[in-house]
Amino acid sequence: MSSDIGLYGLAVMGQNFALNMASHGFSVCVGNRSAPKVELTVNRAKSEGGLPLVGSTSVEDFVSQLSKPRKVVILVMAGKPVDDTIAQLSQYMEEGDVIVDGGNEWFHNTLRRGEELKAKGIHFIGMGISGGEEGARNGPSLMPGGPKVAYDMIEPILTKCAAQVNDGACTGYVGALGSGNYVKMIHNGIEYGDMQLIGEAYDIMQNVLKMSNDEMAETFAEWNKTELESYLIEITATIMNKKDDLTGKGYVLDYVLDKTGMKGTGRWTIQEAAERSVAAPTMAASLDARYISARKDERVVASTILKGPETTPSGVNKAQVLEDLKAALYVSKVISYAQGLGIIKGCSDDMSWNVNLTECARLWKGGCIIRAALLQKIQDALARDEKLTNLILDPVIAGEINERTAAFRRVIVTAIEHGVSTPALSGSLNYFDSYRRATLPANLTQAQRDFFGGHTYERNDREGVFHTAWTDSHKSIGDISERMAGNV
């Protein structure tokens, strides 16, 4: 009997997504370069209720067990392993078949692979999957991008297997090839920012307010019942409460080394922000924080040489700081989403993908790591005005931000006074303060560029492009238009 779909690559994410599809009634054939993982997945399917899942002994055997047109999801490490897997699979696949790459892949690689497979008549889809191991098994957020005809072939499977929320499945057609990977990449960039913002709130609680793990866990749990309700706030409360079972003393968190790892999607996000000329200081700060955290040995030495504030304010009002911190965290989260959506829009416009930002917000409402109650407000804001240039200009969201900025400023001042770094929180406030101003000191920067490089400038009192001979040593620069060539 032929299987409805195949899944190749059986690390835990692959196993769980295969079992997810089988749990929804789709017959699944699984394959992997090592036989033991195939056997493990087949045995899991049997133990989890006799799910319709079979194994394979080789790539050829794997492909031969699929019904035509064949549909294959691959979940292997990004980069060369994806190319190698596609090369092996495509030997036995035919025109009209579909390959779906569900890994975190650089979107340019997806575009290249799509062109290579197009020559063979094989459809290719790049699909972001978010939700971790649990989401893959029980319902992730799925972000597919590729030929619409190929999406239509796999849509019934994706719709049933994705997380389900009040307005449907957390999946849908994102756009042309590359867009699915891109939206997932930005999702991860927002995730980086959100995690750093929460980390900075934790730092203030611990090192300014001197709160215990139990107190912090209780605070995050309470916050999760408010406008801050989200997966990351929820798991933060759980993490705070977990006792250490290795030593039997204290909490696991207090034994975790302060070095944050990463897989690359955060770096790609910031590279893309620069490529699209979109300011993303919240996410950029989170990436920088990971770089600094990795220099643990240097920081240990620096802690014996570099000094923080000699005196700190006494009598901090704990209740007030917590209330302010809650407000600051909410505003920063909104601003982080605004930056991410701005990057998506920038690339979508450049690539003519026509990605629907309202749909992005809907896809992220369930199953994924950045799922949050806030996303409903974001979805509503984008639906109210499809031409909204920036999320924070929506009247409802702008009102919420304006109500909280005084509290936000107090948090940053408190952190500075106590020598606690808040790069993402501060970056969010600086973004807000820059964006809300009709006039910035950029006029001086541009004047400096014209002084040393003859880069010209525009005036605020008349049309045209100008250059000034700032000193007697400055000469005519000739055709001004030539000086503007290469501007981005």
Side-chain angles (χ1 to χ4, degrees), residues 247-280:
T247 64
K249 300 176 182 178
Y251 298 84
V252 176
L253 181 60
D254 298 325
Y255 294 96
V256 177
L257 187 66
D258 57 326
K259 288 175 65 173
T260 307
M262 55 185 165
K263 292 292 182 67
T265 48
R267 182 185 295 118
W268 293 344
T269 296
I270 302 310
Q271 289 173 347
E272 272 299 298
E275 184 68 26
R276 309 301 162 188
S277 299
V278 175

Side-chain angles (χ1 to χ4, degrees), residues 19 22 39-54:
L19 293 166
E39 183 179 358
L40 173 62
T41 308
V42 171
N43 288 336
R44 283 188 63 187
K46 291 177 181 177
S47 67
E48 294 184 23
L51 301 176
L53 184 148
V54 297

Side-chain angles (χ1 to χ4, degrees), residues 224-269:
N224 200 46
K225 299 173 185 176
T226 69
E227 68 269 22
L228 289 177
E229 179 189 348
S230 67
Y231 173 74
L232 286 171
I233 293 289
E234 176 188 349
I235 69 170
T236 299
T238 302
I239 290 168
M240 293 285 177
N241 258 331
K242 183 65 175 176
K243 299 288 180 64
D244 185 54
D245 54 2
L246 291 182
T247 64
K249 300 176 182 178
Y251 298 84
V252 176
L253 181 60
D254 298 325
Y255 294 96
V256 177
L257 187 66
D258 57 326
K259 288 175 65 173
T260 307
M262 55 185 165
K263 292 292 182 67
T265 48
R267 182 185 295 118
W268 293 344
T269 296

Side-chain angles (χ1 to χ4, degrees), residues 88-110:
Q88 293 176 52
L89 290 168
S90 61
Q91 293 180 74
Y92 306 104
M93 298 179 73
E94 301 173 351
E95 185 175 347
D97 292 347
V98 181
I99 295 177
V100 181
D101 176 17
N104 283 327
E105 186 56 270
W106 180 233
F107 77 103
H108 285 293
N109 287 340
T110 298

Side-chain angles (χ1 to χ4, degrees), residues 29 87 173 290 295 373 401 460 462 486:
C29 178
Y173 184 62
R290 294 196 184 198
R295 297 180 178 271
I401 292 175
N460 56 27
R462 65 196 67 193

Side-chain angles (χ1 to χ4, degrees), residues 367-404:
C368 70
I369 304 303
I370 65 171
R371 62 184 184 266
L374 169 62
L375 279 161
Q376 184 61 59
K377 292 183 180 180
I378 293 175
Q379 182 182 352
D380 292 343
L382 295 169
R384 275 192 293 271
D385 183 359
E386 294 181 358
K387 296 182 179 180
L388 191 65
T389 54
N390 190 310
L391 176 64
I392 65 175
L393 295 182
D394 172 75
V396 175
I397 289 178
E400 291 187 331
I401 292 175
N402 288 334
E403 290 171 358
R404 291 167 170 82

Side-chain angles (χ1 to χ4, degrees), residues 143 167 173-175 179 182-184 186-187 190 278 337-349 353-365 370 374-392:
M143 295 155 263
D167 52 357
Y173 184 62
V174 174
S179 62
Y182 199 93
V183 169
K184 173 55 164 59
I186 301 303
H187 162 288
I190 295 170
V278 175
Y337 279 105
Q339 293 167 14
L341 291 168
I343 301 170
I344 293 174
K345 184 180 186 304
C347 188
S348 177
D349 289 347
W353 282 340
N354 197 31
V355 173
N356 186 328
L357 299 183
T358 307
E359 183 70 354
C360 290
R362 190 190 69 78
L363 299 186
W364 294 340
K365 281 165 55 178
I370 65 171
L374 169 62
L375 279 161
Q376 184 61 59
K377 292 183 180 180
I378 293 175
Q379 182 182 352
D380 292 343
L382 295 169
R384 275 192 293 271
D385 183 359
E386 294 181 358
K387 296 182 179 180
L388 191 65
T389 54
N390 190 310
L391 176 64
I392 65 175

